[in-house]
Amino acid sequence: ATAGFAWVLCPQGVALRSAYAWSSPDAIATVAFEARNVLRSRYGSYVAPGPLLYGGFSQGASLASSVVAAHPGDFGPVVMVEAGHTPLSASGVVFGLKKGRVDRALLSCSTGGCSAFSSELVLASKRSSFELLTNDAGRRGHVFDGVVIKSLGETMINLVAGDPRYDGFAKAISSR
C-alpha cells in the first residue's frame, strides 16, 4: 500500500487457532512502540520524527480508536481496513480518534459488514467535523489482498497530503 515509500512495522498478536489476535488495545501499542524504538535505534537517520501512521486490519482496525485515544499525539493519520465486524459505536470511534489528536482517518472496506459500518462512521464523522476518507475495494471478502492494497495506496495519497514526511508518496504510488 505504501509502494516501498515508508517503513512498515507489522506487530503480530498472539496465536489463536489459525490466526492471531490482540488481548487489548494496550498490547497493540506496547508492541508497536517497541518495534518503533528498535527501528529508530537501527535506522534513526532514515526515520522521520513525528507521530506514527496507525494501520490496522480487522481486529487491529476495530481497536484503532482505543489505541490512539490512550496515546494522544503518538499517532497521526489512521488507516482502518475491514473494521466493524464486531459491534462498534461509530460516534465512539470518532471520539477516540479525536481524543488521540488524530485529525483524519481512512476506512477501507471489501465486505458488506464493513460497508455498513462505513455508512455509520461517515455520518458520525460529519456530525463531529472529523475528516474521514473511505475506500471501497469492491466485494472481495474479509481479505487484505493485492486489489485492496492497490486501491488503499491510491486513497492514502489524500490521507497523508500536506504532511512533509510524505512528500513524494504520490509519486511512489503512481510509479508502481
Side-chain angles (χ1 to χ4, degrees), residues 136-162:
D136 184 346
R139 294 299 164 262
R140 308 201 47 76
H142 192 66
V143 297
F144 195 52
D145 65 3
V147 173
V148 173
I149 290 168
K150 187 172 193 300
S151 68
L152 183 60
E154 293 164 1
T155 307
M156 284 178 59
I157 291 170
N158 296 320
L159 183 71
V160 299

Side-chain angles (χ1 to χ4, degrees), residues 99-115:
K99 183 177 179 187
R101 297 199 310 253
V102 170
D103 62 356
R104 62 177 77 154
L106 164 61
L107 176 60
S108 178
C109 295
S110 56
T111 62
C114 180
S115 292

Side-chain angles (χ1 to χ4, degrees), residues 28 33 85 92 97 99 106 121 137 157 176:
I28 295 173
F33 293 145
H85 291 275
L97 294 170
K99 183 177 179 187
L106 164 61
L121 192 58
I157 291 170
R176 64 177 170 179

Side-chain angles (χ1 to χ4, degrees), residues 66-119:
S66 296
V67 173
V68 301
H71 302 277
D74 286 332
F75 295 95
V78 170
V79 176
M80 300 170 285
V81 179
E82 280 300 299
H85 291 275
T86 55
L88 282 175
S89 159
S91 58
V93 169
V94 173
F95 176 82
L97 294 170
K98 290 177 96 171
K99 183 177 179 187
R101 297 199 310 253
V102 170
D103 62 356
R104 62 177 77 154
L106 164 61
L107 176 60
S108 178
C109 295
S110 56
T111 62
C114 180
S115 292
F117 176 67
S118 178
S119 297

